[in-house]
Amino acid sequence: MNTTAPLIRVVVTDDHPAMRASLRDMISRDPRLSLVGDAATGRAALQLARAHTPDVLVLDLDLPDMSGVDVARALRDEQSTVRTMAFTAHTSRAFIEGLVEAGVAGYVTKDKDPCDIVDSIVAVAQGEGRWFVVPQTSWELRHLSRREREVLDHLSDGHTNADIGERLSISVSTVRNHLVRIYETLGVETARAAIVWARRRGIGTDGPP
């Protein structure tokens, strides 16, 4: 039985040809993704999103005809199933809050490594996190296995070891073993410290642990 996951369908939007070409190249090289189309303007992005209903619309916010925020807001108002991922150099809190209001599902800055950008696209497509998906490029997270990252995500959301085991279909003792490795990698000694470390980096439920 073939259990291969379907490819994540992506449209990219950026008014700079070189950046658009770079995004196309990143997506074409990742076996999880499929490029549906690319656009240089907001109106063209809307047309592609409406015509093809991609899983993710990667959206530059500084476009010549209409802002990326307006594109995201239009899709939100249409109750589109397309998830938008902001792709921008802007980092101010007020700007990011505007993205939330517009219905943007994820956010990544243009200075991130290509592997982080494509991982963000996948995360947005899968609805991971809350609205705000920022790839973490720290040494610590790079040295966690996929399973360890899943355990850390659930821990940061406030789940007990038993809850985590049930959600991941692993034993509680296996959860504990993963946590030992996580603590060693993060340089912390307790679950509370690991939660604080994670939440400061946008992982897990907002607010103090």
Side-chain angles (χ1 to χ4, degrees), residues 20 97 140 157 189:
R20 213 161 54 249
E97 288 174 349
E140 293 88 351
D157 280 335
E189 296 182 356

Side-chain angles (χ1 to χ4, degrees), residues 22-94:
S22 178
L23 285 168
R24 288 197 302 265
D25 184 62
M26 291 179 206
I27 290 168
S28 67
R29 291 173 180 273
D30 194 289
R32 300 168 294 180
L33 306 178
S34 172
L35 182 67
V36 173
D38 64 273
T41 67
R43 289 186 177 87
L46 272 176
Q47 290 174 352
L48 284 172
R50 289 164 175 161
H52 299 288
T53 317
D55 299 299
V56 179
L57 171 62
V58 179
L59 191 60
D60 180 22
L61 300 181
D62 297 314
L63 298 170
D65 56 344
M66 61 188 296
S67 75
V69 171
D70 288 338
V71 173
R73 188 176 289 115
L75 291 172
R76 179 204 63 189
D77 292 345
E78 294 171 10
Q79 297 184 332
S80 171
T81 60
V82 176
R83 296 178 183 267
T84 52
M85 188 184 87
F87 184 59
T88 179
H90 296 289
T91 58
S92 73
R93 183 175 182 84

Side-chain angles (χ1 to χ4, degrees), residues 91-209:
T91 58
S92 73
R93 183 175 182 84
F95 188 83
I96 293 170
E97 288 174 349
L99 299 182
V100 179
E101 185 277 329
V104 172
Y107 167 94
V108 66
T109 53
K110 292 185 175 182
D111 61 346
K112 298 297 182 185
D113 291 338
C115 62
D116 294 321
I117 293 169
V118 294
D119 282 348
S120 282
I121 294 172
V122 172
V124 168
Q126 295 175 344
E128 294 180 3
R130 300 296 181 269
W131 78 273
F132 188 70
V133 179
V134 180
Q136 306 300 323
T137 58
S138 68
W139 180 94
E140 293 88 351
L141 283 177
R142 286 186 181 278
H143 284 74
L144 292 180
S145 68
R146 181 181 297 274
R147 178 63 84 191
E148 288 163 354
R149 177 58 192 269
E150 290 173 342
V151 170
L152 179 61
D153 287 345
H154 287 301
L155 178 71
S156 301
D157 280 335
H159 298 299
T160 66
N161 290 359
D163 291 336
I164 296 170
E166 182 176 351
R167 287 169 179 267
L168 299 180
S169 300
I170 57 179
S171 69
V172 173
S173 63
T174 300
V175 173
R176 293 195 187 104
N177 290 337
H178 284 310
L179 288 173
V180 169
R181 162 72 176 156
I182 290 168
Y183 298 164
E184 290 175 349
T185 303
L186 303 187
V188 301
E189 296 182 356
T190 65
R192 182 177 178 82
I195 292 170
V196 170
W197 188 98
R199 290 188 185 175
R200 284 176 178 170
R201 290 159 177 80
I203 302 169
T205 306
D206 293 334

